[in-house]
Amino acid sequence: TLADKTWVTEVCNFFFPGISSALKELDVGVVYAKELMTAEDEPSFATEEQAKVFWSEVKGKAIREELNRIYSNYEGQTWKNVVSIGDADF
């Protein structure tokens, strides 16, 4: 997600308390894309289209890094179930 670190937990606690406890119980990971940004990634755009491209790239990088992480858990691993949920229009 591009949301801040506590967003998923706060929303789940407020709107979906059962989901919040299930996420904890099942050890479901949430990737916060902004946490992977470096100083070189500081956003600066002149148009809305540039902003969409930038944030899409940030999210794509986060997804790629998480998939690389989970696919390297053990030798010969061939698949994992991954669910990606988003609400952005890009």
Side-chain angles (χ1 to χ4, degrees), residues 5-14 20 24 32:
K5 179 73 176 176
T6 61
W7 184 81
V8 170
T9 302
E10 290 174 2
V11 168
C12 285
N13 287 340
F14 188 77
S20 183
K24 288 177 190 171
Y32 293 89

Side-chain angles (χ1 to χ4, degrees), residues 3-89:
D4 293 329
K5 179 73 176 176
T6 61
W7 184 81
V8 170
T9 302
E10 290 174 2
V11 168
C12 285
N13 287 340
F14 188 77
F15 292 107
F16 311 104
I19 296 294
S20 183
S21 60
L23 291 175
K24 288 177 190 171
E25 181 181 322
L26 297 171
D27 195 28
V28 173
V30 177
V31 177
Y32 293 89
K34 289 180 183 178
E35 290 188 344
L36 302 175
M37 292 174 61
T38 66
E40 297 169 354
D41 294 327
E42 283 302 312
S44 175
F45 1 87
T47 67
E48 187 175 329
E49 186 61 31
Q50 287 177 336
K52 288 180 178 183
V53 168
F54 176 84
W55 292 116
S56 293
E57 289 174 353
V58 169
K59 288 168 72 172
K61 179 181 175 185
I63 291 167
R64 181 177 57 253
E65 288 186 19
E66 181 65 7
L67 290 175
N68 286 337
R69 184 189 70 76
I70 65 175
Y71 275 101
S72 64
N73 284 341
Y74 58 87
E75 187 71 29
Q77 184 172 355
T78 58
W79 62 271
K80 280 280 192 187
N81 293 322
V82 176
V83 177
S84 177
I85 302 171
D87 64 352
D89 60 354

